[in-house]
Amino acid sequence: MRRPFIAGNWKMNLDRASIGAFCAALRDNPAPSGVRVGVFPPSVYLAEVVAALAATDVVVGAQTCHSERSGAFTGEIAASMVKDVGASHVILGHSERRHVFGESDGDVRLRMTAALAAGLDVILCVGETIAQREAGATAQVVLGQLDAGLAGLEPATVTDRVTVAYEPVWAIGTGHTATPDQAQDVHAQIRARVAHGYGSDVADKLIIQYGGSVKPANVSELMACPDVDGALVGGASLDPNSFDALLRFES
Ligand code: PGA
């Protein structure tokens, strides 16, 4: 059985007061016990969120980290720093990192290595643009990003420390959610690819989140897909009530 994993990617949103209130709501109103919950605040608030949620099971992570351990990389944060403030996870390869900040598959791979070496677990994001989908290149793009991100990892690392998030770029922040059939189709291909590379034991345990305009109104139908094991949520994760509703999807 794969434990559902619902994570909020707060991106560059919220402030100290609203994050404090959000953490209080998470403490006061825990998710159903079968559901794993994660929040990914802006990095300046990481330490505060770790402290505020210390008595809960909520996973706290960063939205990215750099591949180098230290040095002259103005504005960047190292994986060891994320770990040092008590966070356990990092999102890597998010479409905004790839498309707004120009991260290549090679960059994502280096960041994967650094994050895992520092002791962080990773949510590896993959997803095609609308042009790629319309050109029939969805599988090629998504599986290529997956291969690049996982290259060289031990099977146990993939099983225990990596979550994959399928996030079609055309669905992120647009209100155009993938249909359950579209999500299931790509999730099944991701799982098959991991089975091919790492064996069916690893693939069967892999948590694959869907991301892209997930809301309380559509989370249940997405979560009902056999290969959708969770959600990585942007906009609908910014309000505590909406996030709470996501955690209580109908199963
Ligand atoms: P969205 O973002 O839910 O606002 O579409 C998802 C994401 O970018 O992870």
Side-chain angles (χ1 to χ4, degrees), residues 68 107-108 136 161 172:
E68 295 293 331
D107 295 327
V108 175
R161 304 191 47 206
I172 296 178

Side-chain angles (χ1 to χ4, degrees), residues 10-27 39 41-42 45 48-49 52-53 237-241 243:
W10 292 345
K11 307 190 181 182
M12 197 172 74
N13 293 298
L14 306 178
D15 59 16
R16 196 175 196 183
S18 57
I19 285 175
F22 206 126
C23 292
L26 287 170
R27 283 195 307 264
V39 292
Y45 302 121
E48 267 177 78
V49 173
L53 297 177
S237 77
L238 296 176
D239 172 71
N241 293 324
F243 191 58

Side-chain angles (χ1 to χ4, degrees), residues 7-9 11 91 94-96 125 167 171-175 211-215 232-237:
N9 171 12
K11 307 190 181 182
I91 297 170
H94 188 275
S95 83
E96 285 142 27
C125 300
E167 299 204 303
I172 296 178
T174 60
S213 298
V214 177
K215 304 181 268 287
L232 183 57
V233 188
S237 77

